[in-house]
């Protein structure tokens, strides 16, 4: 096994050894790597069904099925990028603000090494901590958010922070530029007719699922490509996918993307200047034979194999 390569499945079976992402090396000495995979096993921001704290572990487990060479891109991921599994941030199960601080400090340290962070959640509240670190380096960034929900809602139950608030708080804190932000796949029922007002009034563009069904995936891709070359953060909530293909999530909403469509959309990110990525809301207790974790691990692979990152010299 090379220093930057997964274990050889011809020597060590894929179900053996410590379960790192794609069986890659586990390391916190990441200065020689291009990408760090970071788990955030946290679901203290969940409003209904908990369980996403187990997401990073199960996604890693199912990622052992993935191989490095992509027929689609005609490239070998491990020849192109040096990737380490950083392990998990020890999020506090009791204190969301402490968790945000732990996330921010860890991601900041990774970015300071010029290493690209790929974060596995956890519920969607964790995106705020990541964006705080990203904005320190890049200033306000654009956003591509794949999601059934806008997550620009207000606080409830006496707290300003939960998995429905991260992008409202991010706008308020100046972490993202709403004029360069897309929310893709929003659908379902709302509490009231004003639920999307904050996002729309701030300048975010929302691509509702009903409109996507009429205009097609090609229209979504045009909107993504229209974000240009300024820094963009990508957040993928697995509930953007229809629960027929991803049942293991906390707030499933029928009528979403199928597996093939979401893979196509992740591949469409290639022209963008992406500076950070998270995949959140995989909840294994509600999964069916691991199909959600398997899809999630493949989406992370597709992202890594698509995004334009410069390999360290």
């Amino acid at each position: 096994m090379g220093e930057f390569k997964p274990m050889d499945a011809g020597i060590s079976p894929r179900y053996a050894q410590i379960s790192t992402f794609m069986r890659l090396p586990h390391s916190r000495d990441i200065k020689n790597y291009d990408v760090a995979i970071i788990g955030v096993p946290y679901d203290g921001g969940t409003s209904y069904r908990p369980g996403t704290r187990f997401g990073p572990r199960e996604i890693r487990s199912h990622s052992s099925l993935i191989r490095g060479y992509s027929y689609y891109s005609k490239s070998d991921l491990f020849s192109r990028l040096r990737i380490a599994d950083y392990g998990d941030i020890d999020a506090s199960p009791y204190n969301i603000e402490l968790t945000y601080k732990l996330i921010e400090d860890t991601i900041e340290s990774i970015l300071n090494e010029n290493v690209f962070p790929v974060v596995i959640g956890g519920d969607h509240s964790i995106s705020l901590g990541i964006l705080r670190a990203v904005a320190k380096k890049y200033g306000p960034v654009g956003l591509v958010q794949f999601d059934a929900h806008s997550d620009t809602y207000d606080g409830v139950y006496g707290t300003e922070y939960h998995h429905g608030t991260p992008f409202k708080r991010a706008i308020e804190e100046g972490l993202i530029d709403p004029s360069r932000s897309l929310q893709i796949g929003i659908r379902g029922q709302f509490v009231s007719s004003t639920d999307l007002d904050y996002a729309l009034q701030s300048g975010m563009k929302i691509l509702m699922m009903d409109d996507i069904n009429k205009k097609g995936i090609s229209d979504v891709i045009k909107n993504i490509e229209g974000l240009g070359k300024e820094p963009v953060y990508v957040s993928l909530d697995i509930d953007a996918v229809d629960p027929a293909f991803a049942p293991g999530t906390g707030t499933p909403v029928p009528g979403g993307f199928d597996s093939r469509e979401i893979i196509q959309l992740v591949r469409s990110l290639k022209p963008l200047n992406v500076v950070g990525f998270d995949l959140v809301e995989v909840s294994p207790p509600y999964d069916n034979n691991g199909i959600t974790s398997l899809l999630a691990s493949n989406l992370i692979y597709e992202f890594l194999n698509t995004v334009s990152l410069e390999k360290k010299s």
Side-chain angles (χ1 to χ4, degrees):
M1 180 182 73
E3 184 181 358
F4 304 110
K5 303 276 187 180
M7 286 180 280
D8 187 340
I11 297 173
S12 175
R14 293 183 180 277
Y15 49 79
Q17 307 305 324
I18 296 170
S19 183
T20 60
F21 188 80
M22 289 187 69
R23 304 188 352 132
L24 285 158
H26 166 57
S27 180
R28 296 202 167 184
D29 182 13
I30 58 170
K31 59 181 177 293
N32 293 320
Y33 288 89
D34 307 301
V35 178
I37 309 290
I38 309 108
V40 184
Y42 179 77
D43 57 11
T46 303
S47 58
Y48 187 51
R49 303 199 305 186
T52 57
R53 66 181 63 185
F54 302 111
R57 181 174 293 181
E58 287 302 308
I59 290 169
R60 285 185 173 107
S61 177
H62 285 83
S63 73
S64 64
L65 284 166
I66 305 174
R67 296 165 175 84
Y69 182 79
S70 168
Y71 177 80
Y72 168 77
S73 65
K74 304 294 189 292
S75 66
D76 187 316
L77 179 61
F78 307 119
S79 297
R80 194 168 65 83
L81 294 172
R82 292 170 292 193
I83 308 169
D85 191 324
Y86 184 89
D88 288 344
I89 295 172
D90 291 318
S92 168
Y94 305 118
N95 189 325
I96 193 168
E97 294 186 39
L98 173 59
T99 293
Y100 282 149
K101 179 61 174 169
L102 293 167
I103 294 170
E104 180 182 352
D105 289 349
T106 302
I107 301 303
E108 183 179 8
S109 70
I110 289 168
L111 289 169
N112 286 342
E113 295 285 356
N114 293 317
V115 174
F116 187 96
V118 170
V119 183
I120 309 173
D123 71 52
H124 218 157
S125 67
I126 70 169
S127 296
L128 181 60
I130 305 165
L131 282 164
R132 286 174 175 170
V134 168
K136 282 184 180 179
K137 180 165 185 174
Y138 297 101
V141 294
L143 174 71
V144 176
Q145 175 191 350
F146 299 103
D147 208 325
H149 310 91
S150 177
D151 293 351
T152 52
Y153 310 122
D154 230 328
V156 291
Y157 306 122
T159 178
E160 293 300 301
Y161 305 108
H162 58 81
H163 70 164
T165 66
F167 301 113
K168 181 172 187 180
R169 302 283 97 92
I171 293 170
E172 292 171 343
E173 294 180 24
L175 310 178
I176 60 176
D177 177 357
S179 69
R180 295 193 300 111
S181 297
L182 288 175
Q183 297 187 317
I184 302 169
I186 310 301
R187 63 189 187 276
Q189 306 82 21
F190 301 106
V191 174
S192 75
S193 62
T194 63
D195 273 20
L196 298 181
D197 284 0
Y198 182 86
L200 292 170
Q201 290 167 8
S202 72
M204 300 181 100
K205 186 169 186 178
I206 299 178
L207 304 183
M208 301 294 292
M209 199 69 212
D210 284 348
D211 294 327
I212 294 170
N213 288 334
K214 294 173 185 175
K215 297 179 181 179
I217 295 296
S218 60
D219 182 71
V220 181
I221 293 173
K222 288 178 183 176
N223 277 275
I224 290 172
E225 292 173 343
L227 292 174
K229 292 296 184 182
E230 294 299 310
V232 169
Y233 184 81
V234 176
S235 184
L236 198 164
D237 186 325
I238 202 66
D239 71 21
V241 180
D242 190 277
F245 301 89
T249 189
T251 316
V253 182
F257 299 109
D258 64 27
S259 299
R260 181 175 56 187
E261 289 169 335
I262 196 66
I263 288 171
Q264 184 181 359
L265 289 172
V266 168
R267 289 173 175 174
S268 77
L269 298 168
K270 187 174 180 61
L272 302 185
N273 176 18
V274 183
V275 296
F277 174 84
D278 68 52
L279 189 150
V280 296
E281 295 287 353
V282 171
S283 186
Y286 296 97
D287 209 359
N288 179 15
N289 293 323
I291 63 173
T292 310
S293 296
L294 177 63
L295 174 60
S297 64
N298 275 268
L299 289 171
I300 294 169
Y301 167 80
E302 291 291 346
F303 173 79
L304 288 169
N305 206 50
T306 296
V307 70
S308 299
L309 300 177
E310 290 187 11
K311 188 169 183 176
K312 289 185 176 181
S313 57

